[in-house]
Amino acid sequence: MKKYLVAFVIALFPLASFASGGAGPKLDHMAVDLHNQASLQRGMQVFVNNCLGCHSAQYQRYQRAAEDLGMPINLVEENLLLGNQKVGQQMTNTMLKEDSASWFGTAPPDLTLESRLRGPDWLYTYLRSFYKDSSRPWGVNNVVFPDVGMPNVLEYLQGEQVNHCSAEEAQHHEAKIDPLTGKMMGGCMSISKKGQQTTEEFDKTVYDLVNFMAYIGEPSKLDSQRIGTKVLIFLFLFFFVAYALKKEYWKDVH
Ligand code: HEC
């Protein structure tokens, strides 16, 4: 028994070192909720209006998203399609990779699988931790992604954020926003110029956006959950049928 216990503890070691994480700030946690259609719909709107200009989500079709998220096709056609796109098309843009690479230093990557690559917590924290830095080409830097080549495209909503600590110091604090002071990263970051949203509203906007990004990363997850429930119901009912059959077959044997 003891031997098994020791083996079990040793087997857990790699998990423990993984959980302790590497360097960098502690990320804010967000619980993805793929059943919250209203949130996913709002997230899609934020994504199309603010991100699709530079990034694509080329493995996702508008129509599939509209169907999965319960949005009427004509509303999506009227409000969310860019230029002369069709609803059956993938969510792409017309920016050429070579152009964007020369404008930004790095081409904006496709975001379909981004939430699987980085994880929702990383995205949720990244999109809220841009701060003013005049030494950078776009005038902003990011605590989670130092020297990032992306401008803070949601600044009009969040406002302008300043970092009172050195970038190094801010890295060591939790990304949580203090509800009393509205400051982030252990008091390092504060809003210096108001945007259109309060801190709470902005957190919600980013939550919806990342929720949507989690959905495009795994669109079949919604299907599998729906099918999974049906399978369980079927198995539950089938149990009674099987049991009745068994009784019937063995009746004469006993
Ligand atoms: C003006 C163009 C532009 C817009 C608009 C834009 N981005 Fe970016 N984004 C970039 C560029 C350029 C990079 C690459 C930065 C780098 O590697 O330094 C990037 C990188 C990223 C990354 C990190 C990718 C990685 O893992 O390395 C994420 C996540 C991201 N963008 C999300 C978003 C989201 C979400 C939106 C919409 C709210 C958005 N971006 C809007 C230009 C843009």
Side-chain angles (χ1 to χ4, degrees):
M1 182 66 203
K2 227 175 176 177
K3 222 165 51 190
Y4 286 118
L5 211 65
V6 172
F8 181 67
V9 170
I10 290 174
L12 281 179
F13 270 140
L15 274 182
S17 60
F18 181 69
S20 68
K26 291 191 202 107
L27 302 176
D28 252 8
H29 175 64
M30 68 157 270
V32 168
D33 181 2
L34 297 181
H35 296 290
N36 187 346
Q37 277 203 339
S39 159
L40 294 171
Q41 290 174 359
R42 286 191 301 264
M44 179 168 176
Q45 208 169 353
V46 178
F47 185 81
V48 172
N49 291 335
N50 297 280
C51 317
L52 215 48
C54 293
H55 295 276
S56 53
Q58 60 177 334
Y59 305 110
Q60 179 69 46
R61 286 176 199 278
Y62 290 99
Q63 190 162 358
R64 169 83 195 259
E67 284 163 5
D68 282 350
L69 309 188
M71 295 162 100
I73 299 280
N74 62 327
L75 271 187
V76 172
E77 275 174 333
E78 282 160 29
N79 300 302
L80 293 181
L81 293 190
L82 301 177
N84 51 4
Q85 280 184 321
K86 301 269 180 306
V87 76
Q89 263 179 301
Q90 284 119 314
M91 301 175 73
T92 51
N93 59 27
T94 49
M95 202 184 265
L96 294 175
K97 274 232 154 8
E98 306 85 69
D99 282 345
S100 53
S102 72
W103 293 333
F104 302 108
T106 320
D110 184 83
L111 292 182
T112 327
L113 301 175
E114 184 70 11
S115 82
R116 276 158 75 172
L117 182 71
R118 298 285 199 175
D121 292 357
W122 188 91
L123 289 172
Y124 181 60
T125 310
Y126 165 70
L127 291 165
R128 289 153 57 249
S129 61
F130 281 90
Y131 64 90
K132 209 173 156 200
D133 180 352
S134 51
S135 71
R136 298 294 307 154
W138 299 107
V140 283
N141 211 325
N142 191 287
V143 179
V144 180
F145 191 149
D147 294 345
V148 68
M150 167 171 148
N152 185 10
V153 295
L154 297 177
E155 191 176 296
Y156 72 103
L157 297 175
Q158 184 186 26
E160 201 175 78
Q161 202 165 221
V162 286
N163 185 359
H164 307 285
C165 312
S166 69
E168 257 294 288
E169 279 170 326
Q171 285 258 337
H172 300 296
H173 294 289
E174 225 167 314
K176 257 198 178 56
I177 288 180
D178 180 340
L180 285 178
T181 60
K183 288 188 176 169
M184 206 172 152
M185 304 271 171
C188 284
M189 312 264 269
S190 63
I191 301 289
S192 59
K193 210 189 278 170
K194 277 206 164 105
Q196 288 172 11
Q197 297 189 329
T198 63
T199 308
E200 259 174 25
E201 287 167 342
F202 183 68
D203 278 3
K204 226 172 135 250
T205 300
V206 177
Y207 173 87
D208 293 338
L209 171 60
V210 178
N211 217 10
F212 176 72
M213 291 175 75
Y215 153 74
I216 58 174
E218 302 188 67
S220 354
K221 206 168 188 174
L222 276 178
D223 278 346
S224 8
Q225 284 174 357
R226 266 193 294 260
I227 296 168
T229 315
K230 285 184 188 150
V231 169
L232 284 179
I233 294 174
F234 171 78
L235 285 176
F236 183 71
L237 296 177
F238 186 72
F239 169 77
F240 292 103
V241 177
Y243 187 67
L245 265 176
K246 179 217 165 237
K247 269 184 115 173
E248 181 63 27
Y249 285 153
W250 286 85
K251 198 170 58 189
D252 305 329
V253 180
H254 290 304

